[in-house]
PDB file of all heavy atoms in Angstrom:
ATOM      1  N   LEU V 293     148.906 135.651 132.208  1.00  0.00           N
ATOM      2  CA  LEU V 293     148.650 137.204 132.381  1.00  0.00           C
ATOM      3  C   LEU V 293     147.241 137.472 132.043  1.00  0.00           C
ATOM      4  O   LEU V 293     146.630 136.779 131.295  1.00  0.00           O
ATOM      5  CB  LEU V 293     149.577 137.885 131.526  1.00  0.00           C
ATOM      6  CG  LEU V 293     151.079 137.743 131.581  1.00  0.00           C
ATOM      7  CD1 LEU V 293     151.939 138.361 130.603  1.00  0.00           C
ATOM      8  CD2 LEU V 293     151.554 138.139 132.917  1.00  0.00           C
ATOM      9  N   ILE V 295     145.361 140.254 130.063  1.00  0.00           N
ATOM     10  CA  ILE V 295     145.800 141.341 129.135  1.00  0.00           C
ATOM     11  C   ILE V 295     144.615 141.998 128.568  1.00  0.00           C
ATOM     12  O   ILE V 295     143.563 141.364 128.218  1.00  0.00           O
ATOM     13  CB  ILE V 295     146.517 140.584 127.948  1.00  0.00           C
ATOM     14  CG1 ILE V 295     147.834 140.018 128.524  1.00  0.00           C
ATOM     15  CG2 ILE V 295     146.882 141.633 126.836  1.00  0.00           C
ATOM     16  CD1 ILE V 295     148.614 139.024 127.696  1.00  0.00           C
ATOM     17  N   VAL V 296     144.669 143.276 128.462  1.00  0.00           N
ATOM     18  CA  VAL V 296     143.472 144.123 127.890  1.00  0.00           C
ATOM     19  C   VAL V 296     144.056 144.700 126.617  1.00  0.00           C
ATOM     20  O   VAL V 296     145.037 145.398 126.611  1.00  0.00           O
ATOM     21  CB  VAL V 296     142.922 145.096 128.772  1.00  0.00           C
ATOM     22  CG1 VAL V 296     141.884 145.930 128.067  1.00  0.00           C
ATOM     23  CG2 VAL V 296     142.449 144.483 130.152  1.00  0.00           C
ATOM     24  N   ILE V 297     143.404 144.441 125.524  1.00  0.00           N
ATOM     25  CA  ILE V 297     143.670 145.089 124.267  1.00  0.00           C
ATOM     26  C   ILE V 297     142.477 146.036 123.878  1.00  0.00           C
ATOM     27  O   ILE V 297     141.376 145.673 123.910  1.00  0.00           O
ATOM     28  CB  ILE V 297     143.936 143.933 123.160  1.00  0.00           C
ATOM     29  CG1 ILE V 297     145.027 143.042 123.473  1.00  0.00           C
ATOM     30  CG2 ILE V 297     144.108 144.609 121.679  1.00  0.00           C
ATOM     31  CD1 ILE V 297     145.090 141.910 122.533  1.00  0.00           C
ATOM     32  N   LEU V 313     145.100 142.182 115.548  1.00  0.00           N
ATOM     33  CA  LEU V 313     144.629 142.097 116.904  1.00  0.00           C
ATOM     34  C   LEU V 313     143.749 140.776 117.192  1.00  0.00           C
ATOM     35  O   LEU V 313     143.870 140.182 118.305  1.00  0.00           O
ATOM     36  CB  LEU V 313     143.750 143.349 117.388  1.00  0.00           C
ATOM     37  CG  LEU V 313     144.537 144.610 117.315  1.00  0.00           C
ATOM     38  CD1 LEU V 313     143.707 145.732 117.714  1.00  0.00           C
ATOM     39  CD2 LEU V 313     145.777 144.560 118.328  1.00  0.00           C
ATOM     40  N   SER V 314     143.047 140.364 116.134  1.00  0.00           N
ATOM     41  CA  SER V 314     142.273 139.012 116.399  1.00  0.00           C
ATOM     42  C   SER V 314     143.262 138.009 116.451  1.00  0.00           C
ATOM     43  O   SER V 314     143.091 137.168 117.473  1.00  0.00           O
ATOM     44  CB  SER V 314     141.352 138.887 115.241  1.00  0.00           C
ATOM     45  OG  SER V 314     140.316 139.798 115.063  1.00  0.00           O
ATOM     46  N   CYS V 315     144.161 137.782 115.626  1.00  0.00           N
ATOM     47  CA  CYS V 315     145.287 136.874 115.665  1.00  0.00           C
ATOM     48  C   CYS V 315     146.002 136.796 117.048  1.00  0.00           C
ATOM     49  O   CYS V 315     146.267 135.931 117.600  1.00  0.00           O
ATOM     50  CB  CYS V 315     146.231 136.917 114.624  1.00  0.00           C
ATOM     51  SG  CYS V 315     145.491 136.530 113.038  1.00  0.00           S
ATOM     52  N   LEU V 316     146.383 138.081 117.377  1.00  0.00           N
ATOM     53  CA  LEU V 316     147.080 138.231 118.664  1.00  0.00           C
ATOM     54  C   LEU V 316     146.299 137.767 119.984  1.00  0.00           C
ATOM     55  O   LEU V 316     146.812 136.911 120.753  1.00  0.00           O
ATOM     56  CB  LEU V 316     147.532 139.695 118.975  1.00  0.00           C
ATOM     57  CG  LEU V 316     148.211 140.043 120.167  1.00  0.00           C
ATOM     58  CD1 LEU V 316     149.469 139.270 120.370  1.00  0.00           C
ATOM     59  CD2 LEU V 316     148.403 141.528 120.319  1.00  0.00           C
ATOM     60  N   GLY V 317     145.077 138.072 119.962  1.00  0.00           N
ATOM     61  CA  GLY V 317     144.192 137.603 121.065  1.00  0.00           C
ATOM     62  C   GLY V 317     144.065 136.227 121.079  1.00  0.00           C
ATOM     63  O   GLY V 317     144.209 135.535 122.137  1.00  0.00           O
ATOM     64  N   ARG V 318     143.790 135.650 119.897  1.00  0.00           N
ATOM     65  CA  ARG V 318     143.587 134.139 119.843  1.00  0.00           C
ATOM     66  C   ARG V 318     144.941 133.465 120.360  1.00  0.00           C
ATOM     67  O   ARG V 318     144.959 132.444 121.037  1.00  0.00           O
ATOM     68  CB  ARG V 318     143.242 133.771 118.444  1.00  0.00           C
ATOM     69  CG  ARG V 318     143.007 132.290 118.177  1.00  0.00           C
ATOM     70  CD  ARG V 318     142.547 131.875 116.826  1.00  0.00           C
ATOM     71  NE  ARG V 318     143.453 132.309 115.801  1.00  0.00           N
ATOM     72  CZ  ARG V 318     143.232 133.325 114.906  1.00  0.00           C
ATOM     73  NH1 ARG V 318     142.083 133.914 115.005  1.00  0.00           N
ATOM     74  NH2 ARG V 318     144.111 133.681 113.936  1.00  0.00           N
ATOM     75  N   GLU V 319     146.131 133.918 119.808  1.00  0.00           N
ATOM     76  CA  GLU V 319     147.343 133.191 120.275  1.00  0.00           C
ATOM     77  C   GLU V 319     147.645 133.372 121.758  1.00  0.00           C
ATOM     78  O   GLU V 319     148.146 132.377 122.390  1.00  0.00           O
ATOM     79  CB  GLU V 319     148.544 133.819 119.460  1.00  0.00           C
ATOM     80  CG  GLU V 319     148.511 133.551 117.916  1.00  0.00           C
ATOM     81  CD  GLU V 319     148.605 132.088 117.621  1.00  0.00           C
ATOM     82  OE1 GLU V 319     149.520 131.376 118.274  1.00  0.00           O
ATOM     83  OE2 GLU V 319     148.007 131.494 116.628  1.00  0.00           O
ATOM     84  N   LEU V 320     147.333 134.555 122.293  1.00  0.00           N
ATOM     85  CA  LEU V 320     147.569 134.749 123.713  1.00  0.00           C
ATOM     86  C   LEU V 320     146.788 133.821 124.500  1.00  0.00           C
ATOM     87  O   LEU V 320     147.145 133.269 125.539  1.00  0.00           O
ATOM     88  CB  LEU V 320     147.323 136.205 124.065  1.00  0.00           C
ATOM     89  CG  LEU V 320     148.313 137.241 123.635  1.00  0.00           C
ATOM     90  CD1 LEU V 320     147.783 138.594 123.864  1.00  0.00           C
ATOM     91  CD2 LEU V 320     149.671 137.006 124.269  1.00  0.00           C
ATOM     92  N   VAL V 321     145.358 133.591 124.108  1.00  0.00           N
ATOM     93  CA  VAL V 321     144.508 132.653 124.824  1.00  0.00           C
ATOM     94  C   VAL V 321     145.116 131.234 124.690  1.00  0.00           C
ATOM     95  O   VAL V 321     145.058 130.408 125.604  1.00  0.00           O
ATOM     96  CB  VAL V 321     143.123 132.748 124.288  1.00  0.00           C
ATOM     97  CG1 VAL V 321     142.209 131.598 124.740  1.00  0.00           C
ATOM     98  CG2 VAL V 321     142.389 134.093 124.583  1.00  0.00           C
ATOM     99  N   GLN V 322     145.567 130.842 123.480  1.00  0.00           N
ATOM    100  CA  GLN V 322     146.174 129.491 123.437  1.00  0.00           C
ATOM    101  C   GLN V 322     147.359 129.422 124.185  1.00  0.00           C
ATOM    102  O   GLN V 322     147.715 128.191 124.582  1.00  0.00           O
ATOM    103  CB  GLN V 322     146.510 129.294 121.914  1.00  0.00           C
ATOM    104  CG  GLN V 322     145.351 129.075 121.065  1.00  0.00           C
ATOM    105  CD  GLN V 322     145.679 128.948 119.564  1.00  0.00           C
ATOM    106  OE1 GLN V 322     146.779 129.064 119.104  1.00  0.00           O
ATOM    107  NE2 GLN V 322     144.672 128.681 118.697  1.00  0.00           N
ATOM    108  N   LEU V 323     148.065 130.330 124.496  1.00  0.00           N
ATOM    109  CA  LEU V 323     149.236 130.316 125.543  1.00  0.00           C
ATOM    110  C   LEU V 323     148.771 130.259 127.015  1.00  0.00           C
ATOM    111  O   LEU V 323     149.603 130.190 127.816  1.00  0.00           O
ATOM    112  CB  LEU V 323     150.086 131.445 125.234  1.00  0.00           C
ATOM    113  CG  LEU V 323     150.945 131.436 123.869  1.00  0.00           C
ATOM    114  CD1 LEU V 323     151.692 132.791 123.739  1.00  0.00           C
ATOM    115  CD2 LEU V 323     151.916 130.263 123.890  1.00  0.00           C
ATOM    116  N   GLY V 324     147.422 130.510 127.271  1.00  0.00           N
ATOM    117  CA  GLY V 324     146.959 130.289 128.615  1.00  0.00           C
ATOM    118  C   GLY V 324     146.641 131.553 129.183  1.00  0.00           C
ATOM    119  O   GLY V 324     146.213 131.622 130.375  1.00  0.00           O
ATOM    120  N   HIS V 325     146.778 132.693 128.516  1.00  0.00           N
ATOM    121  CA  HIS V 325     146.564 134.037 129.143  1.00  0.00           C
ATOM    122  C   HIS V 325     145.091 134.325 129.020  1.00  0.00           C
ATOM    123  O   HIS V 325     144.323 133.848 128.192  1.00  0.00           O
ATOM    124  CB  HIS V 325     147.355 135.176 128.433  1.00  0.00           C
ATOM    125  CG  HIS V 325     148.760 134.826 128.483  1.00  0.00           C
ATOM    126  ND1 HIS V 325     149.530 134.748 129.521  1.00  0.00           N
ATOM    127  CD2 HIS V 325     149.725 134.549 127.467  1.00  0.00           C
ATOM    128  CE1 HIS V 325     150.847 134.573 129.365  1.00  0.00           C
ATOM    129  NE2 HIS V 325     150.981 134.379 128.079  1.00  0.00           N
ATOM    130  N   THR V 326     144.574 135.214 129.902  1.00  0.00           N
ATOM    131  CA  THR V 326     143.173 135.850 129.695  1.00  0.00           C
ATOM    132  C   THR V 326     143.205 137.076 128.995  1.00  0.00           C
ATOM    133  O   THR V 326     143.998 138.027 129.348  1.00  0.00           O
ATOM    134  CB  THR V 326     142.609 136.038 131.269  1.00  0.00           C
ATOM    135  OG1 THR V 326     142.721 134.791 131.988  1.00  0.00           O
ATOM    136  CG2 THR V 326     141.271 136.653 131.210  1.00  0.00           C
ATOM    137  N   VAL V 327     142.446 137.224 128.001  1.00  0.00           N
ATOM    138  CA  VAL V 327     142.478 138.320 127.080  1.00  0.00           C
ATOM    139  C   VAL V 327     141.145 139.040 126.982  1.00  0.00           C
ATOM    140  O   VAL V 327     139.989 138.368 126.829  1.00  0.00           O
ATOM    141  CB  VAL V 327     142.882 137.941 125.646  1.00  0.00           C
ATOM    142  CG1 VAL V 327     142.833 139.277 124.828  1.00  0.00           C
ATOM    143  CG2 VAL V 327     144.209 137.284 125.685  1.00  0.00           C
ATOM    144  N   THR V 328     141.142 140.386 127.247  1.00  0.00           N
ATOM    145  CA  THR V 328     139.765 141.123 127.146  1.00  0.00           C
ATOM    146  C   THR V 328     139.976 142.094 126.124  1.00  0.00           C
ATOM    147  O   THR V 328     141.075 142.800 126.081  1.00  0.00           O
ATOM    148  CB  THR V 328     139.545 141.936 128.466  1.00  0.00           C
ATOM    149  OG1 THR V 328     139.365 140.861 129.535  1.00  0.00           O
ATOM    150  CG2 THR V 328     138.254 142.571 128.451  1.00  0.00           C
ATOM    151  N   MET V 329     139.164 142.099 125.179  1.00  0.00           N
ATOM    152  CA  MET V 329     139.195 143.110 124.005  1.00  0.00           C
ATOM    153  C   MET V 329     138.180 144.284 124.386  1.00  0.00           C
ATOM    154  O   MET V 329     136.988 143.954 124.599  1.00  0.00           O
ATOM    155  CB  MET V 329     138.805 142.456 122.765  1.00  0.00           C
ATOM    156  CG  MET V 329     139.551 141.186 122.429  1.00  0.00           C
ATOM    157  SD  MET V 329     141.228 141.513 122.148  1.00  0.00           S
ATOM    158  CE  MET V 329     141.412 141.591 120.416  1.00  0.00           C
TER     159      MET V 329
END
Side-chain angles (χ1 to χ4, degrees):
L293 303 175
I295 300 168
V296 177
I297 298 175
L313 293 179
S314 296
C315 291
L316 175 63
R318 185 175 54 249
E319 293 295 322
L320 290 169
V321 168
Q322 288 177 354
L323 290 171
H325 303 295
T326 302
V327 178
T328 301
M329 305 297 260

